[in-house]
């Protein structure tokens, strides 16, 4: 019994003969069960396509769910909301509520690399923790340092001055910092789930490293309750336990819509690179049958990582996150190790002007490569890195096709993709980023997105082209 019928849709890319025609797609339960002209609706719910494209649901291959949820309640501390120290002080003063203020999106162009004393001069009354736009650094004012007794901390990420006093800067210590903060529930994911559905996203890879047990169970609970209906692929599941099932700390087995991905490793941009430590971490994950997903932003980090793979060996499914700077000389090694690049051209649209100032001119041609990687036979998947980059996939696809900075300058015209290529990089399976794009076919899961306009028009900044999103046969967004 057909449960839903998408009537009169276009199926771009799925079959040459059908691509220009309007056709019907029937769904029964959680599967596509028929594709054809003039299908009988019977008692099924009919969704009128009006000739709009029907696509497999999009997969965002790298984002951070809890950070996204927390982001909504945070003070914006950088461009385009805040540009100067006066504006930052005003924004902090306007923070709603009482107690802790959580700032996000700070970047040095606002007021330099702040320490606790600098931040005190902007806001001293309430405890403030302000996250750098990179996600790598928190800056705390003195009230916040006292509240969490930063003085007594033994975490290596707590920066200290020559006299041994904390500077207020805490690097890559999110899990540690969270433990010291007043206890609060992990933020609700209802809004994130709804936003993702509105954008046509039916599957996501959470790239948060080392998910603590409470975060992991909160993600699973949100999924099981339906508030986060998207398929989940988790990179932050610890590498030393059993991969699957029963990952839930409460002993609940994972449903088959939640999967363990490669093990996330962060090569800190701020620390000296430690070849032996990185090799040991990759080896340990591989020993536990986990590929690795390595955060790799700088050229140096990439070269060290490739040397590690030369020594340890690569494993099917190993991938590189961001790949912000990839010299052409590494293409051969990337291909030899079968590494996929999970990248974010959306950063060009948000921060491209900043890159033009801060990235060495000779490096600009290596910045967020796309086209040259594809041409070299290296798998490329697109993603948002939200909340650090723009979540909207239609904005990211547009950024991949234009590579236009906020100032209007083009960064790496040779790296532009067509809208279809960029969309394809959102359509691959969660466990095969950069692989073959999924297609609409009989027997495939009913993860579907119906657009109200052709793809070329859908790919635009702040675009809102989705008319209906279905996940496993249930409509999760419709307008
Ligand atoms: Zn990330």
């Amino acid at each position: 019994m057909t449960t839903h019928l998408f009537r009169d849709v276009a199926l771009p890319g799925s079959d040459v003969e059908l691509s220009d025609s309007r056709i019907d797609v029937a769904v029964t339960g959680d599967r596509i069960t028929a594709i054809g002209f003039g299908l009988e609706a019977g008692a099924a719910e009919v969704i009128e396509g009006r000739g709009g494209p029907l696509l497999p649901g999009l997969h965002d291959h790298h984002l951070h769910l809890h950070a996204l949820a927390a982001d909504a309640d945070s003070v914006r501390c950088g461009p385009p909301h805040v540009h100067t120290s006066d504006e930052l002080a005003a924004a902090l003063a306007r923070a709603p509520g009482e107690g802790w203020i959580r700032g996000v999106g700070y970047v040095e162009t606002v007021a330099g690399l702040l320490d606790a004393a600098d931040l005190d001069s902007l806001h001293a009354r309430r405890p403030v923790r302000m996250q750098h736009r990179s996600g790598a650094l928190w800056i705390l004012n003195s009230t916040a340092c006292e509240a969490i007794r930063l003085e007594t901390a033994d975490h290596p990420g707590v920066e200290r001055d020559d006299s041994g006093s904390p500077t207020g800067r805490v690097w890559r210590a999110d899990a540690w910092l969270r433990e010291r903060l007043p206890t609060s529930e992990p933020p609700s994911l209802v809004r994130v789930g709804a936003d993702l559905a509105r954008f046509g996203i039916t599957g996501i890879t959470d790239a948060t490293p080392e998910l603590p047990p409470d975060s992991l169970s909160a993600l699973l609970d949100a999924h099981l309750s339906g508030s986060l209906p998207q398929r989940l692929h988790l990179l932050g599941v610890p590498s030393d336990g059993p991969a699957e099932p029963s990952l839930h700390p409460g002993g609940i087995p994972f449903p088959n819509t939640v999967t363990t991905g490669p093990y996330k490793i962060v090569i800190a941009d701020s620390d000296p690179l430690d070849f032996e430590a990185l090799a040991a971490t990759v080896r340990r994950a591989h020993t536990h049958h986990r590929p690795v997903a390595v955060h790799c932003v700088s050229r140096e980090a990439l070269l060290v990582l490739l040397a590690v793979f030369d020594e340890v060996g690569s494993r099917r499914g190993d991938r590189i996150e961001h790949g912000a700077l990839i010299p052409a000389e590494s293409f051969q090694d990337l291909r030899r190790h079968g590494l996929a690049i999970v990248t974010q051209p959306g950063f060009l649209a948000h921060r491209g002007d900043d890159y033009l100032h801060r990235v060495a001119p000779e490096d600009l041609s290596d910045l967020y490569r796309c086209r040259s990687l594809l041409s070299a036979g290296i798998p490329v998947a697109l993603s948002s890195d939200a909340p650090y980059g723009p979540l909207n996939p239609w904005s990211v696809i547009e950024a991949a096709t234009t590579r236009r900075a906020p100032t209007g300058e083009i960064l790496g015209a040779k790296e532009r993709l067509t809208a279809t290529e960029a969309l394809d990089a959102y359509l691959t399976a969660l466990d095969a980023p950069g692989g073959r794009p999924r297609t609409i076919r009989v027997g495939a899961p009913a993860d579907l997105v119906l657009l109200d306009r052709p793809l070329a028009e859908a790919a635009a900044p702040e675009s809102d082209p989705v008319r209906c999103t279905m996940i496993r046969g249930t409509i999760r967004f419709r307008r």
Side-chain angles (χ1 to χ4, degrees), residues 242-448:
E244 292 171 280
S246 75
L247 286 159
H248 190 278
I252 306 168
F254 272 30
N256 61 8
T257 45
V258 181
T259 45
T260 299
Y263 176 67
K264 176 76 180 287
I265 298 172
V266 175
I267 304 181
D269 315 326
S270 48
D271 294 345
L273 295 161
D274 184 339
F275 177 91
E276 291 304 331
L278 181 59
T281 309
V282 172
R283 196 178 283 122
R284 189 168 60 240
H286 283 180
T287 305
H288 286 91
H289 310 291
R290 286 278 291 282
V292 292
V294 187
H295 167 106
C296 196
V297 171
S298 69
R299 176 193 300 263
E300 294 72 25
L302 178 69
L303 297 180
V304 169
L305 177 63
L306 289 170
V308 163
F309 281 126
D310 283 343
E311 166 133 338
V312 176
S314 50
R315 192 183 164 90
R316 188 187 169 86
D318 286 338
R319 49 189 258 186
I320 289 175
E321 309 303 299
H322 312 302
L325 287 175
I326 298 184
E329 304 85 79
S330 357
F331 285 4
Q332 208 185 335
D333 290 331
L334 291 167
R335 209 169 34 225
R336 187 163 50 82
H337 286 299
L339 299 167
I341 310 291
V342 179
T343 192
Q344 296 93 23
F347 283 135
L348 300 170
H350 263 218
R351 304 182 187 173
D353 45 345
D354 194 37
Y355 292 143
L356 284 166
H357 288 121
R358 285 157 32 108
V359 175
E362 65 272 22
D363 283 347
L364 278 174
S365 58
D366 296 341
L367 188 66
Y368 289 105
R369 286 178 181 272
C370 291
R371 153 81 51 216
S372 58
L373 294 170
L374 286 180
S375 302
I378 297 162
V380 174
L382 294 189
S383 58
S384 66
D385 199 21
Y388 312 112
L391 176 64
N392 185 334
W394 308 102
S395 299
V396 175
I397 289 170
E398 194 266 351
T401 61
T402 64
R403 299 180 67 92
R404 192 179 291 119
T407 48
E409 283 161 282
I410 306 291
L411 286 121
K414 289 184 189 157
E415 296 295 334
R416 284 186 285 213
L417 300 179
T418 66
T420 303
E421 288 168 327
L423 174 66
D424 282 351
Y426 265 103
L427 295 185
T428 58
L430 290 172
D431 62 358
R436 283 168 68 99
R438 289 140 52 239
T439 55
I440 307 270
R441 56 177 178 79
V442 171
D447 290 357
L448 298 167

Side-chain angles (χ1 to χ4, degrees), residues 39-271:
L39 296 182
E40 275 301 323
E45 181 175 354
V46 174
I47 301 119
E48 294 292 347
R50 300 178 208 131
L54 184 71
L55 310 169
L58 275 60
H59 287 169
D60 189 328
H61 292 282
H62 180 131
L63 52 62
H64 301 273
L65 286 165
H66 279 135
L68 247 180
D71 190 70
D73 300 324
S74 302
V75 175
R76 313 282 132 181
C77 296
H81 313 275
V82 160
H83 299 90
T84 64
S85 51
D86 286 349
E87 288 175 11
L88 178 55
L92 293 170
R94 281 196 307 270
E98 274 306 310
W100 279 84
I101 297 173
R102 183 183 193 274
V104 293
Y106 182 75
V107 64
E108 291 88 330
T109 53
V110 176
L113 180 57
L114 302 178
D115 62 14
D118 301 327
L119 191 50
D120 289 348
S121 69
L122 300 171
H123 191 102
R125 188 172 62 81
R126 292 167 64 182
V128 178
R129 69 183 192 284
M130 183 170 75
Q131 189 181 41
H132 189 268
R133 188 171 72 173
S134 64
L137 166 69
W138 288 94
I139 304 163
L140 281 62
N141 70 357
S142 298
T143 315
C145 293
E146 273 167 43
I148 65 163
R149 295 181 295 114
L150 197 62
E151 190 74 46
T152 65
D154 58 358
H155 191 286
V158 175
E159 185 184 287
R160 292 176 183 272
D161 61 20
D162 293 340
S163 70
S165 301
T167 61
R169 298 186 195 123
V170 180
W171 299 87
R172 297 212 173 275
D174 285 37
W176 175 87
L177 189 56
R178 199 178 311 113
E179 277 176 24
R180 292 229 160 181
L181 292 169
T183 40
S184 60
E185 300 285 301
S188 162
L189 291 161
V190 172
R191 192 159 132 192
V192 171
D195 282 347
L196 291 165
R198 181 165 58 83
F199 289 138
I201 294 171
T202 62
I204 44 191
T205 295
D206 186 275
T208 310
E210 299 293 340
L211 284 167
D214 62 332
S215 301
L216 196 52
S217 43
L219 291 178
L220 193 52
D221 290 344
H223 181 70
L224 292 170
S225 73
S227 55
L228 185 69
Q230 286 78 16
R231 291 171 195 275
L232 296 181
H233 198 53
L234 304 174
L235 307 189
V237 175
S239 74
D240 48 0
E244 292 171 280
S246 75
L247 286 159
H248 190 278
I252 306 168
F254 272 30
N256 61 8
T257 45
V258 181
T259 45
T260 299
Y263 176 67
K264 176 76 180 287
I265 298 172
V266 175
I267 304 181
D269 315 326
S270 48
D271 294 345

